[in-house]
Amino acid sequence: MDLATFDPSTSVAATATLEVVETPSLVLDADRMDRNITRLRNRLGSLGVSLRPHLKTAKSIEVARRIMSAPEGPATVSTLKEAEQFAADGLRDMVYAVGIAPAKLARVVELRAKGVDLVVVLDTVEQAQAVAEASRSAGMRIPALIEIDCDGHRSGVVPTNHAQLLEIGLALAAGAELRGVLTHAGDSYKGGGPEAQQRYAESERAAVVGAAQLLRSAGLPCPVVSVGSTPTAHYAKDLTGVTEVRAGVFVFFDLVMAGIGVCQVDDIALSVLATVIGHQREKGWIITDAGWMSLSRDRGTSKQAVDQGYGLVCDIQGQNYRDIIVADANQEHGIVAVRPGSDARLPDLRIGDRVRILPNHACATAAQHEAYHVVRGQSHAIEACWQRFGGW
Amino acid sequence: MDLATFDPSTSVAATATLEVVETPSLVLDADRMDRNITRLRNRLGSLGVSLRPHLKTAKSIEVARRIMSAPEGPATVSTLKEAEQFAADGLRDMVYAVGIAPAKLARVVELRAKGVDLVVVLDTVEQAQAVAEASRSAGMRIPALIEIDCDGHRSGVVPTNHAQLLEIGLALAAGAELRGVLTHAGDSYKGGGPEAQQRYAESERAAVVGAAQLLRSAGLPCPVVSVGSTPTAHYAKDLTGVTEVRAGVFVFFDLVMAGIGVCQVDDIALSVLATVIGHQREKGWIITDAGWMSLSRDRGTSKQAVDQGYGLVCDIQGQNYRDIIVADANQEHGIVAVRPGSDARLPDLRIGDRVRILPNHACATAAQHEAYHVVRGQSHAIEACWQRFGGW
């Protein structure tokens, strides 16, 4: 059985189960995914704001269809490859939420010429001038959001820098379209508990709503006011003035999100299926065929209260063993051991037995795989195989 | 221009250059690669031992052909997917150097039935019994190497555990073929200077030669005595009793290897081409479109004397700026800054300018990409685009 060559992507052998599929492979518990999607959708519904899901975590048409409110979008992407792939599947409303490089505008123009409302993001006058120039050349007004820096973690204009905001807005007006403002509370990934998250959410809201007001009071348009991160989306109490929320990892969740309290460990919908290939009994190690190539090098829990190593080990049903982690990883070897300081005992696993490993960071782990093997709840049957894509 | 869809893989637009190719993308300096290959080949030639290159770093037919002494091999692989892909290109002599899972033997049998001398690796009696049983079922003697643990870093039988070695050897004899012994000095990646490396190399040699002698003295065959890691391959003074050396990252090198002194920074043949997409001047940051998705999450230099962040930044020619690193990375954003403690100044880079980033770990960074964009020396012309593959 070679799932990788199946076409169409949803085909799966009737006999495919977690016991026989090749390892390592990426498993998606669709029950958990559905529950996670419903949770955020209900939450944002009660706050009266719409969801523009970020598809950078999923990178799969099948998953995207289940996240979005409609086949046309709205959605958020992190690469033009995502925009192109999703556009080919019918998406018509996307924000490319990484600062635009002028050389990438040709691909933006091409997608927009096909009827895709693809919006770019920028935070410099130079970029705004490039977008305005590309708009004039192409005979179309390319819409852009000005990125606002709400917490100093990465990109964006500081919302109190009125001069720069207005200069960018005016530069866009010369041919392009100022669609609005966008921010991302990257600092929320640091955690700190519900009250800290509510503060992050309020800073995120205040920064971008303030920027929007400034632009409007200068006579510039600002219809879109976009915020987004999975933690703030789950903790915001008030989103007055915000028109949309972007979030991505909420669909699958991961150990980093569990570590900061946004979800429980048993909400995590992704795992890597692995086979035991050795023991070093004197050292208390079990060796599996899931190394960093399948788990990713992400060590996002290393600075959290509970360091999960390269992942938390579960049985084949997805039930986690107490304090059993992937303590170290080489390219195609994972070293499973008891978490340092714990009195837990290694499970009695034999050569050929299978485990499932919950990831630190869903975006990074999923990126190491070409497909999701879809299961539901306690069933071992793989009911579908959904292709992923990578690249730029 | 969409290089990703080019077929055959060596096609490349005549106008493709580092200035116009999409970013982020993976650049391979073939001059440096050729020099690195020649260096190790000459070294092992003078030691009178043959090279069985590890293709897990390259995962590319084009690169593999340039590393191997002959189109049929020998070579080493880390996944059965590699074995199948390279077999389809004519390789006939491969070691799958990760402990075999019994369920994977069907694919091994299938490749061997096609005339590929694929050898498995194991370190338990259970695995040896499974290989012997699969051999009897398939009517072929599947060859296996017993993995020896020379430094306690991962898998293998401790060479002084004579009982286990002999038990495994005898279990194989019941239908399979004991081809020899194999080890990997994983600890050599910790560095420590030339003398430490010579000690690692000698421990590696002694462990595996001792195990071979034990097996032979018990009347068991042991034609292959295989060692390998890039550092020990470059520092071993004596390989008496060893029949082959496996090494992989020597082809490209990386910052981890430079950090332990196995190569110079300007031997590193791989880099990620990135575009400047923003500035945070007050913070001393330049933002590029190469985040961890293109650089990988590997932070292998974090415990070395010089922490290179997520990579060392070079100009578009591949000449590194002094002390300019990717200080932090998000999925599609890299934050370029001066190395902490350095008096260097940020280069004057504008929106749209391009840089090349040397990776911490070539295996991990290459794995994030679908193709190598091949250049030579100072030229900006991309003379070929070599496809990579991933998966298992």
Side-chain angles (χ1 to χ4, degrees):
Chain A
M1 179 179 49
D2 185 0
L3 287 174
T5 59
F6 278 5
D7 193 11
S9 63
T10 48
S11 293
V12 68
T15 56
T17 67
L18 295 179
E19 278 86 3
V20 299
V21 70
E22 296 291 341
T23 61
S25 58
L26 186 65
V27 176
L28 170 57
D29 183 330
D31 281 347
R32 292 183 179 190
M33 176 182 74
D34 290 347
R35 196 170 74 201
N36 295 339
I37 294 169
T38 301
R39 180 180 156 204
L40 188 61
R41 206 175 268 164
N42 289 346
R43 179 157 217 289
L44 296 182
S46 73
L47 287 166
V49 67
S50 69
L51 174 64
R52 178 183 286 279
H54 206 316
L55 304 181
K56 77 185 175 75
T57 315
K59 300 214 186 201
S60 151
I61 302 289
E62 302 289 340
V63 176
R65 285 182 193 147
R66 284 158 178 84
I67 307 174
M68 295 186 300
S69 50
E72 310 80 45
T76 312
V77 297
S78 69
T79 65
L80 289 176
K81 174 81 169 283
E82 289 166 52
E84 289 160 353
Q85 294 275 316
F86 290 124
D89 193 56
L91 264 79
R92 289 294 173 268
D93 178 1
M94 289 184 272
V95 168
Y96 167 42
V98 174
I100 189 72
K104 291 178 180 166
L105 285 165
R107 288 167 73 187
V108 173
V109 165
E110 201 172 322
L111 277 172
R112 291 196 59 83
K114 291 177 182 165
V116 179
D117 185 19
L118 180 64
V119 180
V120 301
V121 166
L122 47 81
D123 63 0
T124 64
V125 174
E126 296 92 313
Q127 287 165 301
Q129 288 167 338
V131 172
E133 187 182 318
S135 294
R136 293 190 299 269
S137 298
M140 59 169 72
R141 286 186 172 270
I142 301 170
L145 299 172
I146 303 177
E147 186 167 4
I148 304 300
D149 181 9
C150 64
D151 58 8
H153 82 284
R154 189 173 67 200
S155 302
V157 181
V158 177
T160 50
N161 191 339
H162 296 180
Q164 194 180 351
L165 276 174
L166 292 177
E167 201 180 348
I168 292 172
L170 291 170
L172 284 171
E177 176 196 337
L178 173 56
R179 181 69 65 88
V181 287
L182 164 149
T183 198
H184 166 64
D187 270 2
S188 67
Y189 288 82
K190 292 179 185 165
E195 286 181 18
Q197 291 298 343
Q198 284 158 17
R199 282 196 301 275
Y200 287 130
E202 177 53 23
S203 312
E204 192 178 39
R205 187 196 74 80
V208 79
V209 168
Q213 285 166 343
L214 177 86
L215 291 166
R216 289 177 190 139
S217 66
L220 291 166
C222 193
V224 171
V225 181
S226 179
V227 301
S229 83
T230 284
T232 55
H234 276 293
Y235 282 106
K237 290 191 129 178
D238 171 26
L239 290 173
T240 303
V242 168
T243 64
E244 64 180 31
V245 167
R246 307 174 328 279
V249 80
F250 77 93
V251 179
F252 300 142
F253 281 130
D254 54 30
L255 293 168
V256 166
M257 288 294 117
I260 64 174
V262 181
C263 69
Q264 302 296 314
V265 165
D266 65 7
D267 291 326
I268 300 173
L270 275 192
S271 59
V272 173
L273 184 70
T275 300
V276 173
I277 59 168
H279 292 95
Q280 294 287 22
R281 296 188 195 279
E282 318 70 43
K283 295 175 181 148
W285 292 353
I286 296 170
I287 313 290
T288 80
D289 63 355
W292 58 252
M293 187 62 84
S294 58
L295 297 172
S296 93
R297 269 293 196 193
D298 198 287
R299 289 280 291 105
T301 57
S302 64
K303 290 175 184 167
Q304 293 192 332
V306 178
D307 185 342
Q308 305 282 16
Y310 283 90
L312 187 63
V313 183
C314 303
D315 64 22
I316 196 170
Q317 311 268 15
Q319 181 62 45
N320 67 290
Y321 299 110
R322 184 169 72 88
D323 287 341
I324 304 299
I325 63 171
V326 181
D328 204 354
N330 298 141
Q331 185 159 339
E332 301 291 351
H333 297 80
I335 298 181
V336 170
V338 175
R339 188 197 311 284
S342 168
D343 64 354
R345 293 185 59 177
L346 264 189
D348 181 27
L349 295 171
R350 291 164 305 173
I351 298 285
D353 282 353
R354 293 177 167 218
V355 293
R356 283 161 69 181
I357 299 160
L358 302 178
N360 281 322
H361 187 171
C363 306
T365 300
Q368 303 297 106
H369 295 265
E370 292 168 359
Y372 298 99
H373 299 82
V374 182
V375 298
R376 284 192 181 269
Q378 303 295 301
S379 169
H380 292 197
I382 295 169
E383 63 173 49
C385 188
W386 295 340
Q387 299 301 303
R388 297 185 90 261
F389 58 85
W392 292 271
Chain B
M1 179 180 52
D2 184 1
L3 287 173
T5 59
F6 277 6
D7 192 10
S9 63
T10 47
S11 295
V12 68
T15 54
T17 67
L18 295 180
E19 278 86 3
V20 299
V21 69
E22 295 293 340
T23 61
S25 59
L26 187 65
V27 175
L28 170 56
D29 182 330
D31 281 349
R32 292 183 179 190
M33 176 182 74
D34 291 347
R35 195 169 76 200
N36 295 339
I37 294 170
T38 301
R39 179 179 157 204
L40 188 62
R41 207 176 267 163
N42 289 345
R43 179 156 218 289
L44 296 182
S46 73
L47 287 166
V49 68
S50 69
L51 174 64
R52 178 183 286 279
H54 207 315
L55 305 180
K56 77 183 175 75
T57 315
K59 300 214 186 203
S60 152
I61 302 289
E62 302 290 340
V63 176
R65 286 182 193 146
R66 284 157 178 85
I67 307 174
M68 296 186 299
S69 49
E72 310 80 46
T76 312
V77 296
S78 68
T79 64
L80 289 177
K81 172 81 169 282
E82 289 166 51
E84 290 160 352
Q85 294 276 316
F86 290 123
D89 193 56
L91 264 80
R92 288 295 173 266
D93 178 1
M94 288 183 272
V95 169
Y96 167 42
V98 174
I100 189 72
K104 290 178 181 166
L105 285 165
R107 288 166 73 186
V108 173
V109 165
E110 200 173 323
L111 277 173
R112 290 195 59 82
K114 289 178 182 165
V116 179
D117 185 19
L118 179 65
V119 180
V120 301
V121 167
L122 47 82
D123 64 1
T124 64
V125 175
E126 295 93 311
Q127 288 166 301
Q129 288 168 338
V131 172
E133 187 182 317
S135 295
R136 293 191 299 270
S137 297
M140 61 169 70
R141 286 185 172 272
I142 301 170
L145 300 171
I146 303 177
E147 185 167 4
I148 305 298
D149 180 10
C150 65
D151 58 9
H153 83 283
R154 188 172 69 198
S155 302
V157 181
V158 177
T160 51
N161 191 340
H162 295 180
Q164 193 180 353
L165 276 174
L166 293 176
E167 202 180 348
I168 293 172
L170 291 170
L172 284 171
E177 176 195 337
L178 173 55
R179 181 69 65 88
V181 287
L182 164 149
T183 197
H184 166 62
D187 270 2
S188 67
Y189 289 82
K190 293 178 186 165
E195 287 182 17
Q197 292 297 345
Q198 285 158 16
R199 283 197 301 275
Y200 287 131
E202 178 53 23
S203 313
E204 191 177 42
R205 187 198 72 81
V208 80
V209 168
Q213 285 165 343
L214 177 86
L215 291 166
R216 288 176 190 139
S217 66
L220 291 167
C222 193
V224 172
V225 181
S226 179
V227 300
S229 81
T230 285
T232 56
H234 275 293
Y235 281 107
K237 288 191 130 176
D238 171 28
L239 288 173
T240 304
V242 167
T243 64
E244 65 179 32
V245 168
R246 307 175 327 281
V249 80
F250 77 94
V251 180
F252 300 142
F253 282 131
D254 53 32
L255 293 169
V256 166
M257 289 294 116
I260 65 174
V262 180
C263 69
Q264 302 297 314
V265 164
D266 65 7
D267 291 324
I268 299 173
L270 277 191
S271 57
V272 173
L273 184 70
T275 300
V276 173
I277 59 169
H279 291 95
Q280 294 286 23
R281 294 188 197 280
E282 317 71 43
K283 295 176 180 148
W285 291 355
I286 296 170
I287 314 290
T288 80
D289 62 356
W292 58 252
M293 187 63 84
S294 58
L295 298 171
S296 93
R297 269 292 197 194
D298 199 288
R299 288 281 290 104
T301 56
S302 63
K303 291 174 182 166
Q304 294 192 331
V306 178
D307 185 342
Q308 304 282 14
Y310 283 90
L312 188 62
V313 183
C314 303
D315 64 21
I316 196 170
Q317 311 268 15
Q319 182 62 45
N320 67 289
Y321 298 110
R322 184 169 71 88
D323 287 341
I324 304 299
I325 64 172
V326 181
D328 204 353
N330 297 142
Q331 185 159 337
E332 301 291 350
H333 297 81
I335 298 181
V336 169
V338 175
R339 189 195 313 285
S342 168
D343 65 353
R345 291 184 59 175
L346 265 188
D348 182 26
L349 295 171
R350 291 164 305 173
I351 298 286
D353 281 353
R354 292 175 169 220
V355 294
R356 283 162 68 180
I357 299 160
L358 301 178
N360 281 320
H361 187 172
C363 306
T365 300
Q368 304 297 106
H369 295 265
E370 293 169 357
Y372 299 98
H373 298 82
V374 182
V375 298
R376 285 191 181 271
Q378 303 295 303
S379 170
H380 292 197
I382 295 170
E383 62 174 49
C385 187
W386 294 341
Q387 299 301 304
R388 296 184 90 261
F389 58 86
W392 292 271

